[in-house]
Amino acid sequence: MNTPSKPLPLFFALIIILLIPLISLVNNDFSVFTAIKIICRQTYKPPHGLVTTSNERDKSWRKPFIGFKNIDDLSSISRAISPNISQCFPVELPSNALTPTHCCPSKPSFSKFIDFKDFASPNATMRVRKPFHLLHEEDIAKFEKGIALMKALPHDDPRSFIQQAKVHCAYCNGAYHLSYPFQDTKLDIHRSWFFFPFHRWYIYFFERILGKLIGDPNFALPFWNWDSIEGMQMPSCFTNPNSSLYHKLRNQKHMPPHVLDLNYNANDNDYVPSHQQVSNNLATMYKQMVLASTTELFMGSPFRLGDNPRPGPGSVEAAPHNTVHTWVGGADTPHHEDMGTFYTAARDPIFYGHHSNLDRMWAIWKTLGEGRRDYSDQDWLDSEFFFYDENADFVRVKVRDCIDTKNLGYVYQDVDLAWLRTPPTSRKSKLLRQTKKAQVWSSKPRRFPLVLDSITSVIVKRPKKMRSKEEKEQEEEVLVIEGIEFGSDKFVKFDIHVDDDEDKLSNPDQTELVGSFVNLYHGHGHKISTSFKVGLSKVLENLEAQEDDDLMVTLVPKVGKGDVIIGSIKIEFIPK
Ligand code: C2O
């Protein structure tokens, strides 16, 4: 028999093609994109090693793309971030910015770039980055000379000091946008999982340029060891007015031997004796490094193509990163220029020593164990940035190539980590905490979203209690503060306390102060909406609060009272 077998599938295909627009007419939610999504869902098989495992990733996929409707499951498409370098826009500055600033490169290379591969050279020996306070005179002299030569380059040389400072401004204040179809989204490498890799690459090229200028391929960028007792003041080499490292726009009250405040509240009125300040700093370091037991808590939240920028900073980015920026910056300039705001921060040579130590924190954090590791997410690994190298070539680099400093030819000198032996302590009795909680229970509850205009305590339910050791090893109990909203030109800092006493709040060297949210001045004209997460498992152990049904969370506005809205506070369990 001769049955016509071919026309049958064709006939069905025709019916489907005709049905798609028909259904979209009657059902608003069924768009052509939904159709594409369905087709993709059926044809897409994740390659080996790409199978999503974490809840966090699963959830982030459910977020809709901006501007697209229902196209939330195209898992086969990379959502890695790459700035669209074919266009560079005027940057967003804070209102009454000190100087009119253009942050685009003076010699735009547009799409002409080289894929940078020469990671560990120019010299095969490992460069060792050392702390300023342990440097020999001749090492300081080298650094000074390099900066002086950089400052002396013609201003349109992409390796000149001023052009290097502009690179930072461009990546922070929206000079670059993302690629199609998200060309309206401005790139900001802060407050997300790009904070560490972007700055690692940035200071890496800065180091290579310095090395080339002074003719020393082994030159290693020193670090400001502010996490050590000896390093808790401005390194003296920056304070000599005749040095290329000197910078005028700094807080004059903070010259050595003034002790640095890693939890700086942007005012110098609450004086703390030096020994107390040192102990506060050590405990702050401990919390920022040790309580951040998951990748997201330390590195910051995922930011993929199609997401809103600035999903949330990691612990160390909020403080000491932001707080040290403010502490160095001028006391009388409108936004603590230069260090205290991103459009000018990299004009101060101390910026590079500060970021060298932050980069070191990333390297150290991974050695603290308990499963601490980098993101293995392809969208993160494949994301890319562009820089000028020591030969003034415009180069492209990927996040994946910077995650091991040895691959880039450098390591950090081992120095004692006193903070690792200095956990915070708790001085409040369990009874007192229960009484304080009862007071909050009986008072008028604050409703979300709430304006953070005063010290605010809320009770937060714990979905699980008395978790086993295994459970704790697998998942961190995390305090999630969501929908943190404020104007982009606001400077915001609030501290987060758990089971504390509103009338007698704990110091930074005590357990109850669990973290700080800090946002530096940015541009003006839009709203920032972000989130913040703090690991609680260790805190609850220390407070002996593991069997409690709920927690009392107290938010203490320190800067920008009344400028911040808090969307919600909850507890989540994040896989390690
Ligand atoms: Cu991109 Cu410390 O800032």
Side-chain angles (χ1 to χ4, degrees):
M1 296 292 281
N2 233 356
T3 34
S5 54
K6 264 190 193 151
L8 210 63
L10 267 179
F11 174 75
F12 278 119
L14 208 71
I15 296 247
I16 289 171
I17 288 168
L18 286 172
L19 265 178
I20 289 175
L22 213 71
I23 302 175
S24 17
L25 273 182
V26 288
N27 180 353
N28 265 339
D29 279 348
F30 190 91
S31 62
V32 177
F33 293 124
T34 316
I36 298 173
K37 185 176 80 180
I38 291 169
I39 294 163
C40 287
R41 219 182 244 158
Q42 296 188 349
T43 52
Y44 172 67
K45 298 214 176 47
H48 286 297
L50 268 184
V51 186
T52 50
T53 47
S54 85
N55 288 337
E56 168 266 312
R57 183 179 164 97
D58 292 345
K59 254 181 275 142
S60 72
W61 279 108
R62 267 182 253 125
K63 272 189 258 159
F65 276 56
I66 300 156
F68 270 10
K69 200 163 85 177
N70 291 333
I71 189 162
D72 53 353
D73 249 350
L74 290 177
S75 350
S76 58
I77 293 178
S78 165
R79 294 174 61 198
I81 294 247
S82 177
N84 174 11
I85 46 155
S86 64
Q87 269 183 304
C88 188
F89 295 88
V91 286
E92 239 177 58
L93 300 175
S95 35
N96 63 323
L98 269 194
T99 38
T101 303
H102 305 285
C103 298
C104 294
S106 59
K107 287 185 179 150
S109 300
F110 293 128
S111 36
K112 280 207 304 274
F113 60 83
I114 304 168
D115 270 317
F116 187 79
K117 285 270 161 355
D118 204 10
F119 307 120
S121 81
N123 200 307
T125 51
M126 232 7 120
R127 304 188 297 282
V128 182
R129 293 186 180 174
K130 299 177 189 146
F132 279 111
H133 70 271
L134 295 180
L135 284 189
H136 296 299
E137 295 260 317
E138 62 268 22
D139 289 327
I140 293 178
K142 271 189 191 173
F143 183 50
E144 276 183 326
K145 187 175 167 206
I147 298 285
L149 291 171
M150 235 182 182
K151 286 182 173 174
L153 285 175
H155 280 190
D156 63 347
D157 188 317
R159 301 163 303 175
S160 69
F161 191 76
I162 189 69
Q163 289 298 329
Q164 285 294 303
K166 285 184 180 190
V167 172
H168 186 252
C169 166
Y171 274 91
C172 312
N173 292 61
Y176 296 116
H177 291 193
L178 300 181
S179 40
Y180 180 83
F182 303 104
Q183 66 276 26
D184 292 333
T185 307
K186 293 174 182 169
L187 176 58
D188 180 354
I189 46 71
H190 295 99
R191 289 156 282 202
S192 79
W193 66 4
F194 293 126
F195 174 75
F196 283 106
F198 169 81
H199 291 91
R200 173 164 289 177
W201 276 124
Y202 177 45
I203 62 172
Y204 165 82
F205 285 110
F206 188 84
E207 178 182 69
R208 287 179 73 111
I209 295 169
L210 287 177
K212 166 117 185 185
L213 291 175
I214 61 170
D216 177 3
N218 282 325
F219 173 77
L221 188 66
F223 60 90
W224 176 7
N225 192 189
W226 33 245
D227 56 305
S228 78
I229 298 168
E230 302 74 26
M232 279 180 196
Q233 47 176 273
M234 188 178 290
S236 56
C237 59
F238 289 95
T239 62
N240 169 7
N242 301 318
S243 163
S244 62
L245 307 180
Y246 183 76
H247 197 70
K248 233 170 86 194
L249 288 183
R250 288 182 190 146
N251 190 328
Q252 294 308 312
K253 289 194 196 122
H254 294 169
M255 295 302 128
H258 190 96
V259 180
L260 171 69
D261 180 357
L262 295 183
N263 204 32
Y264 186 54
N265 290 325
N267 76 71
D268 291 304
N269 304 332
D270 6 288
Y271 171 77
V272 175
S274 301
H275 68 274
Q276 178 65 45
Q277 188 60 67
V278 167
S279 115
N280 286 356
N281 287 345
L282 291 175
T284 298
M285 281 314 304
Y286 180 94
K287 290 179 205 174
Q288 303 305 77
M289 296 292 278
V290 178
L291 299 189
S293 71
T294 76
T295 310
E296 185 179 5
L297 288 175
F298 180 76
M299 300 287 292
S301 301
F303 168 34
R304 307 163 203 275
L305 196 60
D307 293 341
N308 284 319
R310 302 177 279 266
S315 57
V316 164
E317 180 182 352
H321 168 252
N322 284 342
T323 43
V324 171
H325 267 285
T326 312
W327 186 87
V328 174
D332 310 317
T333 45
H335 315 93
H336 302 288
E337 284 95 342
D338 282 333
M339 268 287 272
T341 177
F342 294 137
Y343 83 100
T344 50
R347 296 178 192 175
D348 185 337
I350 207 169
F351 174 99
Y352 303 91
H354 178 35
H355 271 278
S356 189
N357 203 34
L358 289 156
D359 188 59
R360 177 176 157 261
M361 290 303 137
W362 180 13
I364 291 174
W365 178 80
K366 283 190 267 189
T367 66
L368 298 182
E370 294 176 10
R372 285 175 175 76
R373 59 176 168 269
D374 285 313
Y375 279 112
S376 56
D377 190 295
Q378 297 300 315
D379 291 333
W380 183 70
L381 293 167
D382 288 337
S383 288
E384 52 195 33
F385 312 114
F386 296 83
F387 295 98
Y388 286 92
D389 71 4
E390 72 275 18
N391 303 312
D393 284 329
F394 194 49
V395 296
R396 176 169 73 175
V397 290
K398 287 194 190 298
V399 167
R400 66 169 64 253
D401 292 314
C402 81
I403 51 188
D404 181 0
T405 70
K406 291 200 183 94
N407 189 40
L408 301 184
Y410 72 88
V411 288
Y412 287 97
Q413 180 179 331
D414 270 331
V415 285
D416 180 44
L417 304 176
W419 49 263
L420 205 48
R421 303 183 300 269
T422 322
T425 52
S426 164
R427 307 209 184 110
K428 293 192 179 64
S429 72
K430 205 170 154 75
L431 186 66
L432 174 72
R433 287 201 301 269
Q434 298 301 357
T435 325
K436 291 290 162 186
K437 241 195 240 181
Q439 282 172 7
V440 176
W441 267 122
S442 58
S443 63
K444 200 164 147 269
R446 297 279 309 245
R447 300 245 172 264
F448 290 104
L450 60 85
V451 177
L452 192 57
D453 48 7
S454 56
I455 299 177
T456 301
S457 294
V458 293
I459 301 286
V460 182
K461 199 117 212 79
R462 293 178 67 211
K464 286 183 219 167
K465 49 179 193 170
M466 288 313 281
R467 296 192 304 144
S468 68
K469 192 164 166 273
E470 290 71 42
E471 277 177 293
K472 282 193 223 161
E473 273 164 16
Q474 280 161 10
E475 289 183 331
E476 172 73 32
E477 183 162 355
V478 176
L479 183 69
V480 183
I481 306 176
E482 277 181 330
I484 307 174
E485 288 187 356
F486 46 87
S488 58
D489 60 346
K490 297 288 188 231
F491 178 5
V492 171
K493 179 176 188 286
F494 61 85
D495 291 342
I496 303 144
H497 297 243
V498 162
D499 282 2
D500 207 352
D501 176 0
E502 266 195 23
D503 305 319
K504 199 172 179 304
L505 286 162
S506 297
N507 288 324
D509 64 344
Q510 293 173 305
T511 309
E512 287 87 347
L513 200 177
V514 297
S516 302
F517 176 84
V518 189
N519 185 76
L520 300 184
Y521 291 107
H522 191 72
H524 71 109
H526 65 98
K527 199 172 67 188
I528 288 184
S529 176
T530 189
S531 67
F532 194 58
K533 299 180 180 175
V534 183
L536 290 180
S537 301
K538 283 222 164 52
V539 173
L540 297 173
E541 268 172 35
N542 292 350
L543 296 179
E544 292 167 18
Q546 299 181 80
E547 71 268 37
D548 293 2
D549 296 316
D550 40 49
L551 295 178
M552 179 170 72
V553 175
T554 304
L555 302 182
V556 183
K558 290 289 186 181
V559 190
K561 233 178 239 177
D563 289 337
V564 187
I565 292 175
I566 305 288
S568 67
I569 304 182
K570 62 180 179 201
I571 286 172
E572 268 180 11
F573 295 88
I574 298 189
K576 288 194 180 174

